[in-house]
Amino acid sequence: EADIYQTPRYLVIGTGKKITLECSQTMGHDKMYWYQQDPGMELHLIHYSYGVNSTEKGDLSSESTVSRIRTEHFPLTLESARPSHTSQYLCASTSGNTGELFFGEGSRLTVL
Amino acid sequence: GENVEQHPSTLSVQEGDSAVIKCTYSDSASNYFPWYKQELGKRPQLIIDIRSNVGEKKDQRIAVTLNKTAKHFSLHITETQPEDSAVYFCAASINTGGFKTIFGAGTRLFVKA
């Protein structure tokens, strides 16, 4: 079934650790996005990509980085996690024809 | 960049009543306005959208209106049911080779049975 997958779903790590949140989609979409959301609160765009080797920063300043080497894969990396990075990270994709965003189930990160 | 404001932040209605959520956007280049519903612990899902060349769109109990001149758009839910309880997000999107979508802060809707 076509979907967008995020791993891990939950992660608890210590300050200073490097982490990568994985996002893969089997929907054939070329546009992918990362949003940061505290539960039930506003979604903040932190990164987006319109295709392979294309990445842009969103409106919310973030210390994370992304890469887009394959169309279906859009990982997000934090080089040195801090408690302020504690949040939920939602990956999304769209075909670009309609604009409708399809979201993954999210990765909930807690940094101690 | 685009800024989307959404009101109210919380809305409580009796089952069967109507609910209205209002949003404003800042960038006149925005041309796509989706609404997402997020139930507790779930991912946001599109419920209805409208494009800048349309003033109103309806889908069963939900409708969206757009006033491009005033940069306002609204979501209307009629005959509310307890399962409508969720957080609703409006968004504004600019198509610049891809859709860059900026969300409002969300409205937490409670429908009391």
Side-chain angles (χ1 to χ4, degrees), chain B residues 15 37-39 61 77 79-88 109-113:
Chain B
E15 182 178 3
K37 176 183 180 182
Q38 187 176 31
E39 296 177 353
R61 294 187 297 109
I77 306 174
E79 301 171 25
T80 53
Q81 301 165 3
E83 52 265 39
D84 293 330
S85 297
V87 181
Y88 291 81
L109 174 64
F110 297 95
V111 180
K112 296 176 287 187

Side-chain angles (χ1 to χ4, degrees), chain A:
Chain A
E1 180 181 340
D3 205 345
I4 181 164
Y5 302 95
Q6 290 188 240
T7 57
R9 292 288 317 281
Y10 302 93
L11 181 62
V12 181
I13 59 170
T15 297
K17 298 292 186 184
K18 177 180 178 180
I19 62 118
T20 295
L21 304 180
E22 302 287 349
C23 176
S24 294
Q25 49 94 7
T26 57
M27 308 188 75
H29 290 166
D30 52 352
K31 278 74 172 174
M32 296 188 73
Y33 308 79
W34 277 103
Y35 286 88
Q36 184 176 342
Q37 182 192 34
D38 291 329
M41 305 296 284
E42 185 170 358
L43 290 92
H44 296 282
L45 180 64
I46 51 174
H47 296 284
Y48 58 102
S49 168
Y50 290 164
V52 170
N53 294 325
S54 157
T55 62
E56 301 287 344
K57 286 186 180 289
D59 293 348
L60 180 68
S61 175
S62 174
E63 294 163 343
S64 57
T65 59
V66 292
S67 62
R68 189 89 184 276
I69 298 172
R70 302 199 320 265
T71 300
E72 63 274 17
H73 194 214
F74 191 39
L76 180 145
T77 297
L78 275 167
E79 291 292 333
S80 179
R82 295 207 302 271
S84 60
H85 295 137
T86 294
S87 189
Q88 175 168 249
Y89 294 84
L90 285 166
C91 183
S93 70
T94 182
S95 66
N97 293 330
T98 65
E100 177 181 359
L101 290 174
F102 293 86
F103 286 89
E105 292 188 284
S107 291
R108 188 159 295 184
L109 173 66
T110 302
V111 184
L112 302 176

Side-chain angles (χ1 to χ4, degrees), chain B residues 10-77:
Chain B
T10 305
L11 180 58
S12 185
V13 299
Q14 203 67 38
E15 182 178 3
D17 287 350
S18 294
V20 180
I21 302 170
K22 297 184 178 183
C23 292
T24 61
Y25 62 99
S26 61
D27 193 335
S28 57
S30 290
N31 55 11
Y32 173 63
F33 305 91
W35 287 85
Y36 289 82
K37 176 183 180 182
Q38 187 176 31
E39 296 177 353
L40 188 63
K42 301 265 183 84
R43 56 182 116 178
Q45 290 193 305
L46 181 77
I47 55 170
I48 195 168
D49 56 14
I50 192 167
R51 299 190 187 276
S52 58
N53 58 349
V54 176
E56 185 173 356
K57 184 176 179 181
K58 189 174 181 180
D59 183 5
Q60 298 183 336
R61 294 187 297 109
I62 59 174
V64 59
T65 59
L66 171 65
N67 182 331
K68 283 174 54 181
T69 304
K71 296 182 192 165
H72 289 173
F73 57 116
S74 300
L75 177 71
H76 303 251
I77 306 174

